[in-house]
Amino acid sequence: QVRLVESGGGLVQAGGSLRLSCAASGSIFSINTMGWYHQAPGKQRDLVASIARGGRTNYVDSVKGRFTISTDNAKNTAYLQMNSLKPEDTGVYYCRVQAIQGDYWGQGTQVTVSS
């Protein structure tokens, strides 16, 4: 059983920072990609950033220069450092892990950015 646990969300003023964590536990092998997705209220869930095995990263244009994705492979943990937060960054952030044995999602963590 694979489980993803996200943490680090919260309420922050515009211009502030948050760091999200996603810890994968259980029988998970050969992670190919870890990613963070954002779902704003009433909107679809969209990719924010991903990191592939080997370290190649991908960001949506709206967060380039503000967000940084990283991993601690020894801990099967992904991080999303979010700086210069904007009100439009508000929403639920979900972690996704794509591994050889399957595709897994976390339960989400709420981020609220006040103006």
Side-chain angles (χ1 to χ4, degrees):
Q1 186 77 12
V2 175
R3 185 177 180 219
L4 304 183
V5 178
E6 297 127 328
S7 61
L11 173 64
V12 65
Q13 287 189 330
S17 298
L18 286 172
R19 188 191 193 211
L20 306 183
S21 298
C22 170
S25 62
S27 299
I28 190 163
F29 306 102
S30 294
I31 292 175
N32 292 320
T33 306
M34 300 183 80
W36 287 96
Y37 289 70
H38 170 234
Q39 187 165 22
K43 301 289 183 63
Q44 67 181 23
R45 191 178 300 184
D46 292 321
L47 175 69
V48 171
S50 64
I51 183 166
R53 186 171 51 186
R56 185 178 66 184
T57 57
N58 178 52
Y59 297 92
V60 67
D61 285 346
S62 60
V63 307
K64 285 180 179 177
R66 299 190 298 124
F67 291 8
T68 303
I69 188 170
S70 61
T71 58
D72 182 334
N73 294 328
K75 297 180 180 179
N76 282 339
T77 299
Y79 305 96
L80 186 68
Q81 178 66 43
M82 305 188 295
N83 298 328
S84 302
L85 282 161
K86 303 176 181 180
E88 52 263 43
D89 296 321
T90 293
V92 180
Y93 284 75
Y94 295 90
C95 175
R96 179 185 186 188
V97 170
Q98 295 167 280
I100 283 182
Q101 76 266 44
D103 191 348
Y104 306 95
W105 290 87
Q107 81 287 352
T109 185
Q110 176 69 42
V111 170
T112 303
V113 184
S114 64
S115 57

